[in-house]
């Protein structure tokens, strides 16, 4: 599943036609994370290492991907499934969804999910989820910043597609530059962050689409993007 997801994310990643990716699921569970049958001592430590390395690569790929990635969540997202939601740029969920990192209950602390979770929600919220394994509701997830938006189940696809279409209507080079810079500046100190983003603004202005957007605004017309 991880390798399939990795392949799908990379498929046509550099295509000018690709503007946004939506990750969704069928059935009552968005993702329950790793298959514990693969993590018994019947498999070697090398195999276990490959599983977690592949998982980490997929999560990092989402943030380094040139286009925004949206999680459309309808149901339960646990462990690495919760990690997947936390790793996406935007996450829209139905009000019936819930989120948990329950590994501690089966003797396998959710250390890798904690990377994405701890960078998305407040530390004390993340640690309560990690230490207790208890799920939080979609509304709690929204409150703590794990989700962008919560909607009724029958509106989930419509709202997710609306957001995706709005993103797709913008310039891909501009959005890609902005996404990359956003994640690059996050861990920096304030002065370094402003230095990096100021340079990015200069680079953005120099883009063909940067000039097109400014001129279109001044001329009171719709911009015609290069892609």
């Amino acid at each position: 599943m991880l390798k399939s997801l990795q392949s799908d994310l990379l498929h046509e990643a550099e295509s000018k036609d690709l503007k946004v990716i939506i990750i969704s699921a069928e059935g009552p569970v968005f993702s329950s994370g790793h298959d514990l049958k693969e993590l018994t001592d019947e498999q070697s430590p090398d195999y276990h290492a490959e599983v977690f390395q592949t998982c980490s690569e997929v999560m990092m790929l989402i943030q380094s991907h040139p286009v925004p990635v949206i999680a459309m969540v309808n149901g339960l997202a646990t462990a690495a499934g919760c990690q997947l939601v936390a790793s996406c740029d935007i996450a829209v969920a139905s009000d019936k969804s819930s989120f948990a990192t329950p590994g501690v209950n089966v003797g396998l602390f959710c250390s890798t999910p904690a990377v994405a979770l701890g960078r998305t929600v407040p530390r004390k919220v993340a640690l309560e989820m990690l230490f207790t394994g208890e799920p939080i509701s979609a509304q709690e997830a929204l409150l703590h910043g794990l989700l962008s938006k919560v909607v009724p189940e029958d509106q989930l696809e419509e709202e997710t597609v609306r957001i995706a279409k709005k993103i797709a209507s913008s310039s891909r080079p501009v959005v890609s530059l902005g996404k990359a810079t956003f994640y690059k500046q996050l861990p920096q100190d304030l002065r370094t962050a402003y230095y990096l983003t100021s340079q990015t603004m200069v680079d953005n202005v120099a883009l063909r689409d940067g000039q097109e957007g400014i001129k279109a605004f001044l001329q009171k017309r719709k911009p015609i993007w290069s892609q």
Side-chain angles (χ1 to χ4, degrees), residues 110-147:
C110 285
S111 292
T112 44
V115 174
L117 187 66
R119 283 165 167 73
T120 306
V121 306
R123 182 180 303 180
K124 288 178 173 59
V125 174
L127 287 172
E128 181 181 351
M129 291 177 68
L130 291 162
F131 290 154
T132 67
E134 293 177 350
I136 61 172
S137 67
Q139 289 297 340
E140 288 175 298
L142 177 65
L143 175 67
H144 298 310
L146 181 59
L147 298 175

Side-chain angles (χ1 to χ4, degrees), residues 29-197:
V29 176
F30 173 76
S31 173
S32 56
H34 292 291
D35 182 355
L36 294 179
K37 293 176 183 176
E38 292 186 341
L39 301 179
T40 67
D41 56 12
E42 292 179 9
Q43 298 284 357
S44 69
D46 287 344
Y47 178 81
H48 296 156
E50 182 188 355
V51 168
F52 291 113
Q53 181 61 33
T54 303
C55 184
S56 298
E57 288 173 0
V58 169
M59 302 304 166
M60 290 188 288
L61 173 60
I62 289 171
Q63 289 194 357
S64 64
H65 201 285
V67 306
V69 180
I70 305 174
M72 184 172 78
V73 187
N74 187 29
L76 184 64
T78 65
C82 185
Q83 179 185 6
L84 180 60
V85 176
S87 298
C88 286
D89 302 308
I90 295 172
V92 184
S94 71
D95 50 13
K96 63 176 276 188
S97 301
S98 57
F99 306 84
T101 48
V104 68
N105 297 329
V106 295
L108 184 62
F109 198 87
C110 285
S111 292
T112 44
V115 174
L117 187 66
R119 283 165 167 73
T120 306
V121 306
R123 182 180 303 180
K124 288 178 173 59
V125 174
L127 287 172
E128 181 181 351
M129 291 177 68
L130 291 162
F131 290 154
T132 67
E134 293 177 350
I136 61 172
S137 67
Q139 289 297 340
E140 288 175 298
L142 177 65
L143 175 67
H144 298 310
L146 181 59
L147 298 175
S148 312
K149 189 169 289 189
V150 175
V151 296
E153 183 179 8
D154 61 356
Q155 296 175 24
L156 177 61
E157 185 171 352
E158 178 185 359
E159 179 59 19
T160 306
V161 171
R162 184 194 70 79
I163 295 170
K165 285 184 175 178
K166 183 66 178 74
I167 293 170
S169 72
S170 297
S171 160
R172 175 181 156 132
V174 170
V175 171
S176 294
L177 179 64
K179 174 177 172 175
T181 305
F182 178 81
Y183 286 113
K184 187 176 181 181
Q185 64 83 27
L186 270 183
Q188 308 296 332
D189 63 84
L190 193 63
R191 183 172 296 278
T192 303
Y194 272 117
Y195 173 79
L196 289 171
T197 53

